[in-house]
């Protein structure tokens, strides 16, 4: 079997089984993972099975307008775009210009330039400016973890009822169990985000145990 994982190899035989049976990665996406490494970027894009799950969530929800926070090389955006309807659009926000350039290259090569717009910006600036009237269906959070609680607040404002909030790294490779007093700032961000999402009167939510685990909330 090809290595489909990048940052997150399966932790159990059962997770490996699910991957082997269900997950197929495009050659272009495999090339993108290799190129991400070759350019010296951290290989922290989602594993293929999380990409596959993201595309399923797009399909299930029928999302047409998606915003992604944290593009890296466009790997997860390209996975999501597979399930996008004809008129669907993804706006993906990346702070680092050289990462955005890699993403644009591969989005072009995938023939998805019309569907996926890469914005070089700070995610918070973009989210704050977003108008709920524009009909955002799905928000995927996969950038810095410290500000996750702030991203949650904006997502609650932006998403319409039935809209989906999805966040990668819900378990932080197990560090989410660290004592918050000892945890690193990113882990504390994830801990606070998970608790706030779970307690929010505005979302029905759960963690889906795929990859480094994905928190999913449906806007009420
Ligand atoms: C790491 C992994 C991620 O998927 C991410 O979004 C951010 C950081 C990490 O392993 O450090
Ligand atoms: Mg991630």
């Amino acid at each position: 079997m090809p290595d489909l994982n990048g940052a997150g190899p399966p932790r159990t035989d059962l997770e490996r089984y699910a991957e082997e049976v269900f997950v197929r990665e495009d050659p272009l996406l495999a090339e993108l993972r290799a190129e991400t490494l070759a350019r010296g970027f951290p290989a922290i894009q989602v594993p293929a099975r999380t990409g596959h799950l993201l595309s399923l969530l797009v399909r299930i929800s029928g999302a047409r307008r998606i915003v992604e926070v944290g593009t890296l090389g466009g790997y997860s955006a390209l996975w999501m775009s597979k399930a996008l309807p004809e008129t669907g659009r993804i706006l993906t926000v990346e702070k680092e210009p050289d990462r955005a350039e890699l993403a644009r290259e591969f989005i072009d090569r995938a023939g998805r330039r019309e569907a996926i717009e890469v914005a070089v910006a700070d995610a918070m600036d973009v989210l704050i400016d977003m108008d709920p009237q524009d009909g955002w269906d799905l928000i995927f959070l996969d950038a810095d973890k410290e500000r996750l609680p702030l991203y949650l607040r904006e997502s609650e404002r932006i998403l319409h009822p039935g809209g989906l909030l999805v966040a990668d790294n819900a378990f932080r490779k197990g560090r989410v169990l660290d004592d918050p007093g000892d945890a690193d700032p990113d882990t504390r961000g994830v801990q606070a985000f998970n608790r706030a999402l779970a307690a929010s009167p505005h979302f029905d939510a759960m963690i889906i145990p795929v990859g480094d685990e994905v928190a999913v909330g449906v806007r009420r």
Side-chain angles (χ1 to χ4, degrees):
M1 275 296 285
D3 166 30
L4 299 176
N5 303 303
R11 283 196 284 262
T12 66
D13 288 344
L14 288 169
E15 200 178 353
R16 191 175 308 282
Y17 166 83
E19 175 184 274
E20 284 179 9
V21 175
F22 284 93
V23 182
R24 300 291 174 266
E25 184 186 55
D26 284 353
L28 188 70
L29 286 174
E31 192 184 329
L32 171 53
R33 284 195 297 103
E35 187 60 23
T36 301
L37 264 183
R39 295 198 193 180
F41 300 131
I44 56 171
Q45 72 280 338
V46 298
R49 59 199 189 284
T50 300
H52 185 62
L53 172 67
L54 289 169
S55 75
L56 277 176
L57 290 172
V58 171
R59 184 83 71 198
I60 293 164
S61 64
R64 292 172 174 280
R65 297 206 71 186
I66 295 172
V67 62
E68 175 181 65
V69 171
T71 310
L72 188 53
Y75 184 84
S76 43
L78 283 167
W79 266 108
M80 287 192 285
S81 76
K82 290 171 188 294
L84 215 51
E86 188 80 43
T87 57
R89 295 289 179 265
I90 299 173
L91 170 64
T92 180
V93 185
E94 173 54 55
K95 199 175 58 177
E96 308 284 346
D98 48 359
R99 297 181 184 191
E101 188 183 308
L102 172 65
R104 286 184 183 127
E105 271 174 53
F106 274 79
I107 289 163
D108 276 357
R109 285 184 55 193
R112 302 301 276 152
R113 205 171 167 165
E114 297 292 300
I116 307 174
E117 179 191 349
V118 183
V120 177
D122 183 88
M124 209 51 204
D125 294 341
V126 173
L127 292 178
I128 281 174
D129 276 346
M130 289 176 84
D131 185 345
Q133 304 298 330
D134 289 342
W136 295 99
D137 304 309
L138 192 155
I139 299 180
F140 177 47
L141 303 175
D142 193 18
D144 58 299
K145 312 304 173 198
E146 274 192 81
R147 293 191 297 178
L148 272 171
L150 301 177
Y151 298 152
L152 173 61
R153 217 173 53 198
E154 288 310 309
S155 300
E156 175 194 319
R157 183 185 66 76
I158 295 161
L159 287 170
H160 57 71
L164 262 194
L165 175 60
V166 183
D168 187 37
N169 309 107
F171 282 0
R172 290 274 297 160
K173 307 210 171 93
R175 278 170 290 178
V176 77
L177 295 180
D178 289 356
D179 184 320
D182 301 331
D184 64 85
D186 289 329
T187 297
R188 279 206 300 273
V190 172
Q191 291 170 331
F193 172 85
N194 286 341
R195 297 267 173 197
L197 177 62
S200 172
H202 304 292
F203 287 97
D204 296 307
M206 187 46 178
I207 289 170
I208 299 179
V210 170
D212 188 26
E213 285 73 24
V214 176
V216 177
V218 184
R219 183 75 170 88
R220 282 186 190 156

